[in-house]
Amino acid sequence: MDSFSLPLATWEAWAPGRSTRQEWRASPPEAFDPAGPAADIAFVDPMLRRRLGPVARAALNVAHRCLGDRTGVPMVFASRHGELARTLTMLNDLAAGEEVSPATFSLSVHNASAGVFSIARQDTAPATAIAAGDETLGMALIEAAARLSAEQPQILLVYADAPVPEIYAHDIESAETPHALALLLDIHCSGRLHVSTQRTSSAPTNHMMGLNLLRVLAGHCPSDTWTGQRSTWHWTLADA
């Protein structure tokens, strides 16, 4: 078993119709309406905002609220699928012999959310984009832990995903729901998110990793466990 601890300063999360920490604490993470309103990103210029897909909007929403007025904080953006619906549109256009817009392509890649966030806030902090299958959020936690140091005392971790387009649904074994999560990590904070992981042959959990972690962050349980295709992850939230 491998384990590590992350110094947690604050967190924010979003799902359709739910955004504040109070709303997440009021009911379990699974209890929201997937058909609710899109994430609010009023801080982004309208000309750019109207071009963004649902995953980017969700990621920017939680990132902006979690950082507040802070600038210069290195970032880790993570998404299993990214803007897959946009990518599918481009593939269909190519199959039909049509040209693909460079702007559409630029907003389909996994690091697009980090770039748009940097532009919208005029913040040139370094950013990494991660995609790692059903364990993407867990790998982002590992990346953030590896990068924290005295020289880099804060990290913003942003995770966002949405269900795949119907054509790909048969390739996804777990139920998917749109949601986003941001964690601000700071080595000077006493709160600790303890993470452990081990290889497993158990059946995978039938929903996304982020919902289990949100159960812990929102106080619905002191610890929780999630199993993916390769590993089982366990989280506990505590003071140092």
Side-chain angles (χ1 to χ4, degrees):
M1 176 182 292
D2 296 316
S3 62
F4 56 95
S5 182
L6 293 168
L8 181 61
T10 189
W11 62 275
E12 295 289 348
W14 174 90
R18 183 188 295 197
S19 58
T20 67
R21 286 195 296 272
Q22 290 77 10
E23 290 171 333
W24 285 100
R25 288 169 176 147
S27 59
E30 300 86 353
F32 60 84
D33 178 11
D40 177 23
I41 49 170
F43 72 97
V44 179
D45 181 87
M47 291 294 291
L48 180 57
R49 185 168 66 228
R50 65 182 178 82
R51 295 166 48 200
L52 298 179
V55 175
R57 293 180 68 99
L60 268 60
N61 172 285
V62 295
H64 183 65
R65 290 190 290 118
C66 199
L67 267 189
D69 295 331
R70 301 174 186 87
T71 58
V73 178
M75 298 170 283
V76 176
F77 276 74
S79 179
R80 178 182 185 181
H81 305 306
E83 295 289 355
L84 186 56
R86 190 186 297 272
T87 302
L88 179 59
T89 297
M90 290 191 301
L91 292 174
N92 287 333
D93 289 344
L94 286 171
E98 300 177 6
E99 293 186 359
V100 172
S101 162
T104 299
F105 171 77
S106 71
L107 292 173
S108 72
V109 295
H110 269 73
N111 61 350
S113 294
V116 171
F117 189 66
S118 176
I119 292 169
R121 289 175 51 107
Q122 296 296 295
D123 188 343
T124 58
T128 300
I130 288 179
D134 62 339
E135 298 182 35
T136 290
L137 175 56
M139 297 303 158
L141 292 170
I142 291 175
E143 171 75 7
R147 290 177 56 182
L148 280 170
S149 66
E151 292 72 31
Q152 199 170 93
Q154 291 183 320
I155 294 285
L156 177 70
L157 188 159
V158 183
Y159 168 80
D161 252 319
V164 297
E166 185 176 355
I167 192 173
Y168 297 118
H170 67 279
D171 295 316
I172 305 300
E173 296 186 1
S174 61
E176 295 190 314
T177 51
H179 67 283
L181 169 66
L183 307 176
L184 179 63
L185 308 175
D186 189 329
I187 64 173
H188 300 111
C189 291
S190 61
R192 287 294 185 273
L193 177 64
H194 300 294
V195 185
S196 63
T197 179
Q198 62 182 12
R199 301 288 290 182
T200 185
S201 57
S202 301
T205 304
N206 64 356
H207 55 255
M208 302 165 81
M209 181 189 286
L211 300 181
N212 283 73
L213 180 52
L214 277 166
R215 288 175 61 84
V216 176
L217 295 174
H220 296 289
C221 54
S223 63
D224 208 351
T225 298
W226 179 91
T227 298
Q229 296 292 330
R230 299 173 180 83
S231 305
T232 290
W233 296 76
H234 183 79
W235 302 278
T236 302
L237 190 63
D239 291 331

